[in-house]
Amino acid sequence: MKQRKSGSSEKKPKGKSLRSQLWFDNPDNPGMTALYLERYLNWGLTREELTSGKPIIGIAQTGSDLSPCNRHHLELASRVREGIRAAGGIAFEFPVHPIQETGKRPGAALDRNLAYLGLVEILYGYPLDGVVLMTGCDKTTPACIMAAATVNIPAIVLSGGPMLNGWDGERRIGSGMVVWQAREDHAAGKITYQQFIDLVANSAPSVGHCNTMGTASTMNALAEALGMSLPGCSAIPAPYRERGQIAYDTGVRAVEIVHEDLKPSDILTRKAFENTIMANSAIGGSTNAPIHINAIAKHIGVKLDITDWEKVGLDIPLLVNMQPAGFYLGEEYYRAGGLPAVMNELLKAKRIHGDAITVNGKTMGENVKRAKIINEDVIRPYKKPLKEKAGFKVLHGNLFDSAVMKLSVISDEFRQRYLSNPKDPNAFEGRAVVFEGPEDYHHRIDDPKLKIDENTMLFIRGTGPIGYPGAAEVVNMQPPDYLIRKGVLSLPCIGDGRQSGTSASPSILNASPEAAAGGGLAILKNGDRIRIDLNKGTADILISKAELAERRATLEKQGGFKYPPSQTPWQEIQRGMVDQLGEGMVLKPAVKYQRVAQKYIPRDNH
């Protein structure tokens, strides 16, 4: 092996091919070898094990009491360990910074990059030859894959799987999504506060992440579509026995990919990312997907732009009939064939790259060519989809350079009211009502002085990566109570934040640049006339160029858009270097660090 750049003069031990041997079996540096070995022996490992040439496989543990969606990984890791040992490896389990979507304030997305940074240091600085990335809740999946992409040691994803179906009597209730339904019913006076709480609690009946096609199910499906998981892994419900079985298989495969030297850079190619975009459209995936997938692409060094989501994925049909875009939940999706069945439909339609390599050493085409749809009401054939053109529309204009709109969740009510004017199809205009963050929205949405009606567009700003900070899931704003009672269940919503993947709102969101970065939302005023044109892909304030320039000049004189001060050191650090949602919300200085395990040997610690 060639000598790599290093802060030390140490060379890799002759005849050894494993990275971990630089720590545990280096005769050229006995002092450091003894030091490294010493403490790893004191809990029962033997010197023979650590110097045997067996691959050391990290288990990146994202489960904890703070992360209920991933907590079962604490037990599931035992099956991974057994697989690693059976294949001739040694398992080292370690914690990853917790990220729980429903628990972390002011938002879990704030911590995605923090978890990424911590995992990079672990994968690079410790004696690991490969790693099993245990994922589940929304941001744990991209954080782990981003880190593996940066360090570029052999890595494989084991997702935790969705919860069992939620039920209210005989009615399916999807986790996350039921919150949006329940708040409408509560606003309309149909249910009490206690009924609201009970309904939402019933939607989460077991361990696992959301049982809807929210961001968690989406991102774990896309990890599989990227080729980073074993085929069929993502859809297995968390409590099913198959979840433990694939955990064992993942442990076995983790050892094999070290021997094969199969790294993330071999798998995460442009073809893999295009497959992922097409898969996202077919499953009705979350609007958070472009943020995270684009971030992974940046860290592995593959060129991927927000406009690719429309170019590659817009005309892919919706095949998965699963909430929020459809009817069913995770258990039915798994039993109907899961992602392999979806990918097989796309393969037969010649919409994916069948030759993309995956983590089991086979191509995507080889993995899914025998997959079948078991229930065609849950997973539709390509030629009989739920909806045509189910991808994301990417919009631009003087409001922002880019924002996305999820076409697969446009309801009949919304389409009839806003997109069906025969003289102006797929376009609508309205009066803007602007809210300065979610607190302002909740305080004023029912204020009759705002005169909100069905021709009003709701805007929210100060909710992006810098402004919130971390980009809040607040764009899916419900109408005032008095409109809901009249049957107006949705208004056009636009913002520089995000929305939950469990939301069925066709919001225009992820606006980049955000108001805090000088985007057009910063100069928007209450009462402005706005035009959205889906045919042209535009979103504009209907004011003159002179008025636009004057507003920008005024904003600059005022010192820019005002947002709350940072409350923790990490908030300040991230705000100072974070990119916009359209660029993946990555830390700008971080993306230049690629394939570091191949470029460097970490310096000795004594």
Side-chain angles (χ1 to χ4, degrees):
M1 183 173 177
K2 294 181 180 179
Q3 172 67 26
R4 294 173 288 177
K5 298 177 185 177
S6 174
S8 73
S9 60
E10 182 175 35
K11 295 182 180 180
K12 198 162 189 180
K14 188 176 181 180
K16 300 291 185 180
S17 60
L18 294 178
R19 186 172 179 269
S20 60
Q21 299 310 104
L22 288 169
W23 279 258
F24 295 140
D25 192 12
N26 187 358
D28 292 337
N29 196 342
M32 291 310 305
T33 299
L35 183 66
Y36 295 136
L37 274 169
E38 173 206 11
R39 297 303 164 91
Y40 288 98
L41 302 179
N42 73 1
W43 53 278
L45 285 174
T46 67
R47 178 180 171 184
E48 288 72 24
E49 285 178 286
L50 294 179
T51 60
S52 65
K54 293 181 177 181
I56 295 180
I57 309 298
I59 301 175
Q61 177 59 264
T62 60
S64 72
D65 289 354
L66 289 175
S67 304
C69 288
N70 293 25
R71 193 183 183 283
H72 59 297
H73 273 313
L74 296 173
E75 288 77 38
L76 199 60
S78 65
R79 291 295 291 148
V80 180
R81 282 179 173 272
E82 290 168 2
I84 291 170
R85 181 162 291 278
I90 301 171
F92 276 25
E93 186 176 348
F94 58 86
V96 176
H97 179 86
I99 314 178
Q100 175 59 36
E101 190 63 44
T102 58
K104 178 62 166 63
R105 299 171 72 174
L110 180 70
D111 284 14
R112 186 202 69 179
N113 289 337
L114 184 58
Y116 154 77
L117 288 175
L119 186 52
V120 165
E121 294 302 317
I122 292 170
L123 298 183
Y124 177 63
Y126 282 91
L128 301 174
D129 300 304
V131 64
V132 175
L133 306 170
M134 303 190 81
T135 69
C137 190
D138 301 13
K139 313 304 180 294
T140 59
T141 307
C144 287
I145 301 177
M146 288 159 58
T150 296
V151 181
N152 203 38
I153 63 172
I156 185 170
V157 172
L158 174 67
S159 54
M163 295 179 280
L164 301 179
N165 287 4
W167 295 92
D168 178 37
E170 296 184 357
R171 179 170 67 111
R172 289 175 181 82
I173 49 173
S175 54
M177 186 176 178
V178 71
V179 176
W180 324 123
Q181 297 170 334
R183 72 179 186 178
E184 288 179 2
D185 291 341
H186 187 251
K190 296 179 180 178
I191 59 175
T192 65
Y193 167 80
Q194 190 59 51
Q195 288 172 321
F196 188 128
I197 302 300
D198 290 342
L199 191 62
V200 175
N202 289 342
S203 71
S206 76
V207 296
H209 60 66
C210 280
N211 50 32
T212 50
M213 189 56 74
T215 305
S217 290
T218 296
M219 289 310 304
N220 289 296
L222 298 189
E224 186 179 330
L226 281 170
M228 291 294 292
S229 292
L230 293 179
C233 178
S234 61
I236 302 169
Y240 279 27
R241 66 183 182 185
E242 290 91 342
R243 178 56 61 190
Q245 291 166 351
I246 205 163
Y248 176 88
D249 292 340
T250 298
V252 170
R253 185 58 189 159
V255 177
E256 294 172 349
I257 60 176
V258 170
H259 290 308
E260 296 168 14
D261 197 28
L262 182 62
K263 302 179 294 296
S265 58
D266 301 314
I267 298 168
L268 298 174
T269 63
R270 172 73 188 194
K271 287 182 178 181
F273 284 103
E274 289 186 357
N275 283 351
T276 299
I277 292 173
M278 289 182 275
N280 189 77
S281 297
I283 65 176
S286 167
T287 51
N288 288 302
I291 303 167
H292 302 314
I293 295 299
N294 287 7
I296 295 169
K298 282 184 178 294
H299 285 293
I300 201 66
V302 171
K303 187 177 180 181
L304 193 70
D305 188 80
I306 188 63
T307 58
D308 286 322
W309 287 79
E310 179 173 330
K311 293 174 184 176
V312 176
L314 181 66
D315 65 344
I316 298 294
L318 177 64
L319 303 184
V320 176
N321 185 10
M322 185 172 170
Q323 296 180 28
F327 176 76
Y328 294 102
L329 295 171
E331 288 190 82
E332 289 96 350
Y333 172 54
Y334 170 62
R335 291 172 180 169
L339 188 73
V342 176
M343 298 301 275
N344 178 257
E345 288 298 307
L346 296 174
L347 181 69
K348 290 188 295 185
K350 298 181 179 180
R351 299 309 305 265
I352 61 169
H353 303 287
D355 59 343
I357 194 68
T358 73
V359 77
N360 71 347
K362 299 179 181 179
T363 66
M364 180 62 70
E366 289 172 325
N367 285 341
V368 305
K369 64 182 179 181
R370 293 185 179 86
K372 296 180 179 179
I373 298 174
I374 307 302
N375 185 334
E376 291 191 356
D377 191 36
V378 180
I379 300 176
R380 302 291 179 87
Y382 188 88
K383 295 181 180 179
K384 297 179 181 179
L386 275 79
K387 292 184 180 181
E388 303 285 350
K389 295 187 176 181
F392 298 147
K393 185 70 181 178
V394 180
L395 302 166
H396 62 90
N398 61 23
L399 279 168
F400 37 71
D401 292 343
S402 72
V404 298
M405 185 178 189
K406 183 176 177 179
L407 300 189
S408 64
V409 293
I410 296 178
S411 66
D412 292 339
E413 176 216 6
F414 190 95
R415 184 172 296 280
Q416 182 62 36
R417 183 175 290 117
Y418 300 111
L419 299 172
S420 299
N421 183 348
K423 296 181 180 179
D424 194 16
N426 293 317
F428 55 95
E429 295 183 12
R431 177 180 63 92
V433 170
V434 186
F435 297 102
E436 309 295 345
E439 297 85 0
D440 183 38
Y441 159 74
H442 289 296
H443 180 66
R444 293 196 298 133
I445 183 61
D446 293 317
D447 188 347
K449 295 179 183 177
L450 295 179
K451 298 181 180 179
I452 297 173
D453 59 21
E454 57 265 38
N455 297 311
T456 301
M457 293 189 196
L458 304 181
F459 284 82
I460 192 166
R461 63 189 176 192
T463 60
I466 298 171
Y468 199 68
E473 291 189 337
V474 294
V475 179
N476 50 325
M477 299 169 283
Q478 71 179 25
D481 291 355
Y482 60 84
L483 283 184
I484 291 176
R485 287 191 286 269
K486 291 180 180 179
V488 180
L489 302 180
S490 58
L491 293 174
C493 298
I494 302 173
D496 56 7
R498 303 173 298 111
Q499 73 181 27
S500 170
T502 64
S503 173
S505 168
S507 306
I508 296 171
L509 64 162
N510 304 356
S512 304
E514 63 183 297
L521 291 179
I523 59 173
L524 182 66
K525 294 182 179 180
N526 281 309
D528 279 345
R529 194 77 182 165
I530 309 297
R531 176 173 174 80
I532 307 296
D533 190 326
L534 298 186
N535 296 317
K536 297 179 179 179
T538 55
D540 294 293
I541 316 171
L542 299 180
I543 57 176
S544 67
K545 291 184 179 179
E547 171 70 10
L548 195 68
E550 183 179 337
R551 290 190 188 185
R552 288 198 174 277
T554 300
L555 179 68
E556 187 174 345
K557 289 179 182 178
Q558 294 171 346
F561 183 83
K562 305 300 181 184
Y563 52 84
S566 296
Q567 298 173 333
T568 65
W570 171 240
Q571 290 183 16
E572 181 177 352
I573 291 168
Q574 173 149 286
R575 275 173 158 167
M577 62 178 70
V578 73
D579 215 334
Q580 292 295 290
L581 292 174
E583 297 296 323
M585 204 177 77
V586 295
L587 300 176
K588 295 176 187 178
V591 297
K592 67 176 179 285
Y593 294 92
Q594 296 175 2
R595 297 163 172 78
V596 297
Q598 286 77 57
K599 293 179 180 178
Y600 307 108
I601 296 173
R603 299 174 73 175
D604 284 321
N605 59 24
H606 284 76

